Every structure is written in C-alpha cells, then in structure tokens.
Amino acid sequence: MTMNHEKEVIADTGGLSRRDVLKGGTALGVLSVAGFGTQSLAQAAVPSLPMAFRTEVEVAFRINGAQTALALDPRSSLLDVLRDQLGLTGAKKGCDHGQCGACTVHVDGRRVAACMTLAVQVDDLDVTTIEGLAEGDVLHPMQQAFIDHDALQCGYCTPGQIMAGVACVREGHAGSPQQIREYMSGNLCRCGAYPGIVAAIEDAARVMEG
Ligand code: FES
Ligand code: FES
C-alpha cells in the first residue's frame, strides 16, 4: 500500500489509519502496555457490593511478552481485564457471548474468545493480543495480507479476524479457501469482507509456512 493510498483509507474514526487499526484498534491500545497498574475501570464499576463481600484475587500472567500481576474481581472476563485494566482495546467487545469472534486473542498460542474466558483462567499463561503481533514497526504477515487484500471495511471485526487467522494457519487449517471458511466460521464480519479475509489468510499462510 502506498503512502497516498494509506492516507486515502483513513477511516472516519478519529483519523486512525488502517495501519493503526491493524496494529491494535487505537493508538491507546498500542501504547497501553505502559499503562499497567493504573486504576481499574472494571473495579471502579463494581462498587455496589458491601465491603465484606468484596474479594479480589491475585493473577499473574504474561501479556504480549511482558509479565504483569493484577488484583482482580474473580468474575472478570479476560476481555474486560484487557480492555479496562490493561488498556489493550484491540480485542473488541461485539456480542460478549462467544458468538462473534471480535474478542479473539491467543492464550498459550491457542485462540480463545476473551469474553468467555475468566481472567483467573490465564494465571501463569501467555496471552497475546493484536497489539503484540507486530515486531516493532514490522507488521505480522497476517496484518500485511489484510492490508494487501483490503480485507476490511469498518475494521471492528478485524483484530479478531487477524488473531483467528494466525491461529488458523498455525493449526494447519488454511489448506484451501473452503477449509479457511470452515475454521474461520466463528469470526463474523457484518461488513461482509469475507472474500478479502479468505484471500488474506491464504496469502499469509504462504508467507508463514514458507
Ligand atoms: S465479543 Fe467475544 S465472541 Fe463476541
Ligand atoms: S470489517 Fe466491518 S465488521 Fe468486519
């Protein structure tokens, strides 16, 4: 994608370019690892329980390669902790019921719906989000392929599609367009960008497996 073309496709979402979206949804998301330890919005939003009934548990895990430890409400989903406590807003909350795939992240290399995963379940595990996929300024082949194939419109589903796409290739389920469609069926796109998504995953698979 040329610089000019990239400027042309700046979405009407506060001036974010598609490159920003592909790297993590928002600049805040990209910068957010530095925000560890800030007051949890989730915790702030659960003040109604009497003190005697409030319990927090300590959870320690690696997020995009960085060790972190948090005191959590044990009912917190991984998605809420990522977005509200760690500021990693790349994983999106679409349905919050495990049905759309917008919240897909990797736990120990396997794709999971973060909205259906309790944060306490990732204790001592490795969590990777869209913010942790690129190597510095070098996009992951899957991110680059989504740009090359223009595989998005609004971009809301895109972080989840990319994380699921990476897992799909690693699982060995990207052998044909039919197989990709089957193993990506848990990731919905309201914009109907499926032809580009399948083509991008096919392309990225060649690079990842090459
Ligand atoms: S938000 Fe998690 S599957 Fe829809
Ligand atoms: S690009 Fe809009 S929901 Fe997929």
Side-chain angles (χ1 to χ4, degrees):
M1 175 180 284
T2 65
M3 286 297 288
N4 282 341
H5 183 51
E6 186 168 347
K7 283 175 185 166
E8 284 170 17
V9 296
I10 288 174
D12 57 354
T13 51
L16 287 174
S17 71
R18 288 194 175 195
R19 188 178 176 86
D20 293 330
V21 171
L22 288 156
K23 286 190 75 177
T26 68
L28 177 61
V30 174
L31 296 171
S32 57
V33 175
F36 290 177
T38 54
Q39 172 65 34
S40 156
L41 296 179
Q43 287 172 323
V46 194
S48 54
L49 283 175
M51 204 59 176
F53 293 103
R54 278 192 231 166
T55 54
E56 288 190 334
V57 293
E58 296 283 336
V59 178
F61 57 97
R62 286 164 297 285
I63 176 71
N64 297 330
Q67 185 70 33
T68 188
L70 299 168
L72 301 172
D73 183 318
R75 300 165 297 176
S76 303
S77 72
L78 177 59
L79 181 61
D80 284 343
V81 169
L82 291 174
R83 292 180 58 84
D84 298 337
Q85 289 194 245
L86 298 180
L88 296 169
T89 55
K92 297 292 183 280
K93 185 178 282 191
C95 63
D96 210 19
H97 283 83
Q99 295 174 351
C100 73
C103 64
T104 304
V105 299
H106 296 171
V107 175
D108 274 4
R110 297 170 57 191
R111 50 176 153 173
V112 302
C115 70
M116 298 297 286
T117 304
L118 289 173
V120 293
Q121 290 177 279
V122 304
D123 190 44
D124 206 27
L125 301 181
D126 279 291
V127 178
T128 306
T129 68
I130 189 74
E131 289 91 343
L133 211 53
E135 298 275 352
D137 284 339
V138 180
L139 294 178
H140 186 282
M142 190 65 70
Q143 294 171 304
Q144 188 60 55
F146 268 65
I147 292 175
D148 295 343
H149 289 274
D150 210 15
L152 61 147
Q153 286 188 41
C154 76
Y156 195 81
C157 73
T158 308
Q161 300 280 3
I162 289 174
M163 297 306 286
V166 170
C168 184
V169 173
R170 287 182 184 157
E171 293 160 10
H173 293 146
S176 67
Q178 293 75 14
Q179 196 179 31
I180 291 171
R181 280 190 208 101
E182 181 180 349
Y183 283 90
M184 289 295 292
S185 60
N187 287 76
L188 306 183
C189 175
R190 288 178 302 179
C191 300
Y194 297 113
I197 292 169
V198 172
I201 294 172
E202 264 193 297
D203 231 17
R206 279 190 281 273
V207 178
M208 290 170 66
E209 292 168 346

